[in-house]
Structures are given as C-alpha cells and as structure tokens.
Amino acid sequence: MEEKFYGVDARTITNVGRFEEIIEEITFQGYSVISDLLSEAELQEASSKLDAIYQEQVNDFGIDNLKKINEANLVRCPLSYDDFFLRLCTKPEITNAVGHFLGGYYIINQQNGIINRAKEEHHQSSWHRDLPYQDYIISKPIAIACLMCIDDFTEETGATFMLPFSHQMANIPSVNYLNNHKVSLHAKKGSAVLFNAMVYHKAGYNRSENTRRGLNTLFSIPLLKQQINLFEQMDGRHGEDPAMRKLLGYDSQVPGTVRAWRQDHLNRKK
Ligand SMILES: O=C(O)CCC(=O)C(=O)O
Ligand SMILES: [Fe+2]
C-alpha cells in the first residue's frame, strides 16, 4: 500500500537507491554502514600491515611512552607508511558520500588504526566525538569519519557503540540516557561505518579471544587543521598530483607570513 502523508510538502530526499539511503541515514541518525567494501585479500593485507606499522611505532617511541599518552594499540597515520591505506580510504563508495556532505574541497584530517585486543580496555572505548571538545550543534557536517571493519564487529568482539542523532545534541546526555539509547553496530569485516564526526560513539569491550581491528579515516573541510601535518609526515609524497595535493591538505596549510599568503593566492591566478 502506498505511504500517505498530510500537511507535508517538502522532503529532503525523494529518489531512494542505496546511495540516497546512506546519505539519508548519515543526515538523520548520523551514521550508516556500507557492506562488502573490502575484499578478503585487502582485509588480510590491512590486518598484517596495521600490526607491522604498530610494531614499528612501538619500536620507535616505546610502549611505556605510548601508554603514558593513551596511544597503546593505536596506529597513527598508517597512510603515511603505505599507500595501500590511502587507496582503501579513497574507494569511490566512500568519497562519493564524503563529497556529498563536505563538497568539492575536503582533506584527510587524520587516519588511525585501532587494535582492540582481546580483554583489554582501549582508549577509544571512552565516549567521544571525533571532533573532541566541540559541545555545540552544527547545521551541516564539517567532518565525516569512515571506520572500516578489518575484523568482524560483533557484540563479542567489541563493536562500536553509536548514539543515534547525537550530532544534533550540543552536550553529551547522561549515562542513563547513553545506556538506554546507545546502539551496538554489528558489522561484518569488510564493511565501513560512515558517520558525522559529531556523533558520540565509543569502541565496545572485546570479550572474544581475538583481536578486533578497525581503520578510521577522518575527512574534514580544509578549515580544520590536520592532526598531523601530512606534507611533513609524507615528505610531500604525491605532491605532483593536484587531486592528491588537495586531499592530503598540502594546499591548505597555514602560510607563515602575509607575503607567503599573498604569493599563494597570486600563484593560483597563473
Ligand atoms: O574502534 C572503534 O570501535 C571506534 C574507534 C574510534 O572511535 C576512533 O578511532 O575514533
Ligand atoms: Fe572515534
């Protein structure tokens, strides 16, 4: 039977295919799950590379130091170690949706691998927004997170908890409200959770026997500063490709002087 309405003229989205469904879910509840995005081969590669880069970071910085700054089991900026992670997060299914919300100019603000080990509390298991300390409502998304499930996200393995509609809540609600309304996002490995970065969420506790990995890429408008200066971190790699320069934020860094700012703008006129 056809759905009927009265007293309603306007509708945000009318033509509903899978893409529109994803857009509508992110718009209203704040998140959507895209299934079957990564192949088995990609998942295995992601798993072993995340573990290897993490080991490299542990060797470099020391596990005690990492623990002191809540960085244990967190892989910072894997895309700067291996282009594989850049390719994963720029699949068209993702960039099409990100572009829908952020428009023609967005950057990779940060990328992190989350290694949620069996029966260990992870720093990301605390409620947060991916834009921390922002306790207000914004009418349009300014950052979209793409959390790829490298392993199955289940109740057992510590699936992400989301608080639906919370991008429309200025402040975080009470623990009582959080517990009554949180949703545990079960998603098969190879899926990606795309969400408005203002949605409150946290990783679940991993009660299983296995490690549960995720890869979170945060895309933002270029007005927001990157967590790590990718130009420096990547030694300007891919700088010859205009689309990559833009995505990696090479063209939206803070100029050092008035003259440099003006020169930048002048160069763009040529
Ligand atoms: O691993 C998860 O379930 C959540 C990760 C997360 O919130 C983050 O990386 O910001
Ligand atoms: Fe997060």
Side-chain angles (χ1 to χ4, degrees), residues 6 32 46-47 51 57-58 66 78 96 103 109 123 138 141 147 149 162 207 222 226 232 241 243 254:
Y6 81 88
S32 183
S47 243
D51 289 354
Q57 296 188 342
V58 168
L66 287 174
N96 288 343
N109 185 284
H123 182 54
I138 324 174
L147 176 60
C149 310
M162 290 276 169
R207 292 186 272 113
Q226 287 176 319
E232 262 189 57
D241 174 347
V254 181

Side-chain angles (χ1 to χ4, degrees), residues 3-125:
E3 210 63 57
K4 293 182 183 159
F5 301 86
Y6 81 88
V8 195
D9 284 336
R11 191 169 298 161
T12 312
I13 288 175
T14 46
N15 170 30
V16 177
R18 182 60 190 138
F19 180 75
E20 290 79 14
E21 216 168 62
I22 292 165
I23 296 304
E24 211 167 22
E25 285 178 357
I26 298 172
T27 302
F28 296 126
Q29 68 180 5
Y31 59 87
S32 183
V33 180
I34 306 179
S35 316
D36 301 320
L37 203 58
L38 274 66
S39 68
E40 194 54 49
E42 285 174 321
L43 288 169
Q44 281 178 18
E45 191 170 348
S47 243
S48 59
K49 285 187 165 167
L50 280 179
D51 289 354
I53 297 169
Y54 179 63
Q55 199 46 56
E56 200 178 324
Q57 296 188 342
V58 168
N59 295 344
D60 174 54
F61 206 71
I63 189 64
D64 291 341
N65 284 339
L66 287 174
K67 282 182 179 162
K68 272 186 203 156
I69 57 168
N70 291 325
E71 290 269 301
N73 295 319
L74 196 80
V75 190
R76 279 282 171 217
C77 208
L79 66 85
S80 67
Y81 290 72
D82 195 316
D83 283 349
F84 168 72
F85 292 102
L86 191 55
R87 287 195 294 277
L88 280 195
C89 71
T90 50
K91 286 180 178 267
E93 291 89 337
I94 296 163
T95 51
N96 288 343
V98 171
H100 172 89
F101 289 108
L102 303 183
Y105 202 154
Y106 57 84
I107 62 169
I108 294 181
N109 185 284
Q110 56 180 284
Q111 187 185 59
N112 301 302
I114 302 100
I115 304 181
N116 202 356
R117 295 197 197 275
K119 303 184 172 68
E120 279 184 33
E121 186 79 12
H122 197 283
H123 182 54
Q124 297 301 329
S125 311

Side-chain angles (χ1 to χ4, degrees), residues 124 128 130 195 201 216:
Q124 297 301 329
H128 64 280
D130 279 355
F195 59 102
H201 63 280
N216 191 9

